[in-house]
Amino acid sequence: MSVDIDQRPIILTGDRTTGPLHLGHYAGSLKNRVALQHSHRQYLLLADCQALTDNASDPAKVRRNVLEVALDYLAVGIDPTETTICVQSGLPALAELTLLYLNFVTVARLERNPTIKDEIQVRGFGRDIPAGFLCYPAAQAADITGFKATVVPVGEDQAPLIEQTNEVVRRLNRQIGRDVLPEAQALIPSVGRLPGIDGRAKMSKSQGNAIPLSATPDEIRDAVRRMYTDPNHLRAADPGTVEGNVVFTYLDAFDEDRTTLEELKARYRRGGLGDVVVKRRLEEILQALLAPIRERRAALEKDPCHVLDLLRAGTMAAREKTQATLDDIRSGLGLFSFEQPENRLAS
Ligand code: ATP
Ligand code: MG
């Protein structure tokens, strides 16, 4: 058995393989992951099983995007020598943990989870909610605890899921009688949730309102041009509203020159600043942010075998880690085992 001498706090986070990653991922999570990968032992999970919970009719999309999301990770600066990138469906211990955890969470609690409630509404499931979708918070608890992670850098929409994970952790620890699993802390950036370019509450791969990290210069220009602003700000001379104005929300997230940004906001509120000028500023910032990411991605795309090798090695390492946790839980709960002497008939 290998002894883990790495004392760094463990990070587990990941993404559903439903499409290429976008600016919301960057602001909400990727930036933190790149910054923390040296001080933490980081695992990134390509969540293809979770992606299936609302994409069962399109497994090909889910499979295709495993490589796409991995390319995005590497393109934004995830260093595979520091971070372990792994594929969820290659980690059977996580599926087994999920099955166990489903007995430590109620249907009523799953239905009350605010993230799940929102997502069910956005997806228009009505009463036809796939059981896997309703139960994915248990699977996410398995992902996080499977790695014994204590830090989870996620977007604000994920906070209720981390809370539910910790409820499962407490119930299991109580049942087992000692702290087998650590509680996890969500690391949520101050920018909050990045809205879609259409003004909807969340930029999302599934909603067609995203700017992918791999967008071309023309796509970036076009997305900024179409961006939702203040519908009552018809002429440059009119006073405009900054709150809820997507262009300003994006500037808040990506413009590092805070002084100029505050001046622009004041001018916009007073009147005399047109949408075109503000959009031009945002476009410049986004073009500068995304150009090096796109270039690195293009270079990596030339050698997909190299990326697949990284994923294979990462998944093997993660398999060992998650299996060890499953063994702890099984023996903690005192489940049947052929190895245990108490299973022999009393003589
Ligand atoms: P899907 O539409 O398939 O659910 P998604 O765009 O919501 O895709 P996920 O894979 O569900 O992306 O989310 C991965 C991570 O990125 C999560 O931590 C989530 O909080 C974060 N994230 C996603 N979208 C945003 C956003 N618009 N703003 C901030 N963080 C986000
Ligand atoms: Mg999502």
Side-chain angles (χ1 to χ4, degrees), residues 192-210:
R193 183 179 312 198
L194 199 71
I197 58 169
D198 56 359
R200 270 189 287 177
K202 183 173 172 288
M203 178 177 283
S204 164
K205 299 187 213 99
S206 310
Q207 303 302 313
N209 62 1

Side-chain angles (χ1 to χ4, degrees), residues 294-313:
R294 191 174 50 241
E295 280 157 26
R296 272 198 299 270
R297 201 180 197 284
L300 289 156
E301 271 170 10
K302 291 193 183 120
D303 191 2
C305 288
H306 170 64
V307 181
L308 288 176
D309 285 345
L310 287 176
L311 296 189
R312 188 176 293 113

Side-chain angles (χ1 to χ4, degrees), residues 95-263:
E96 207 173 320
L97 279 175
T98 303
L99 212 53
L100 287 172
Y101 290 3
L102 282 170
N103 303 306
F104 292 85
V105 52
T106 65
V107 173
R109 177 66 181 91
L110 290 164
E111 285 173 342
R112 266 201 320 272
N113 186 309
T115 305
I116 297 293
K117 267 166 97 175
D118 264 17
E119 292 183 343
I120 285 173
Q121 216 218 344
V122 170
R123 284 162 177 73
F125 283 142
R127 292 207 28 85
D128 296 325
I129 308 162
F133 190 86
L134 182 67
C135 297
Y136 93 69
Q140 206 154 307
D143 300 340
I144 295 168
T145 60
F147 290 89
K148 298 212 168 156
T150 54
V151 183
V152 190
V154 279
E156 181 216 298
D157 59 307
Q158 299 285 307
L161 291 160
I162 311 301
E163 214 177 291
Q164 193 157 12
T165 293
N166 287 335
E167 285 173 25
V168 172
V169 166
R170 287 192 287 270
R171 279 210 58 187
L172 268 155
N173 286 344
R174 214 177 317 128
Q175 179 66 37
I176 292 172
R178 64 193 156 84
D179 288 348
V180 176
L181 298 175
E183 289 194 33
Q185 209 182 354
L187 190 71
I188 298 168
S190 55
V191 292
R193 183 179 312 198
L194 199 71
I197 58 169
D198 56 359
R200 270 189 287 177
K202 183 173 172 288
M203 178 177 283
S204 164
K205 299 187 213 99
S206 310
Q207 303 302 313
N209 62 1
I211 302 181
L213 296 176
S214 48
T216 63
D218 282 350
E219 285 164 349
I220 298 168
R221 187 170 315 118
D222 184 55
V224 175
R225 216 172 268 163
R226 286 189 292 123
M227 221 171 244
Y228 180 89
T229 58
D230 169 6
N232 299 316
H233 186 242
L234 300 175
R235 287 177 302 262
D238 294 341
T241 308
V242 165
E243 289 68 31
N245 184 320
V246 175
V247 181
F248 279 104
T249 311
Y250 280 43
L251 284 170
D252 275 332
F254 299 106
D255 191 345
E256 275 161 19
D257 182 354
R258 310 314 281 184
T259 318
T260 311
L261 178 56
E262 289 314 312
E263 281 165 19

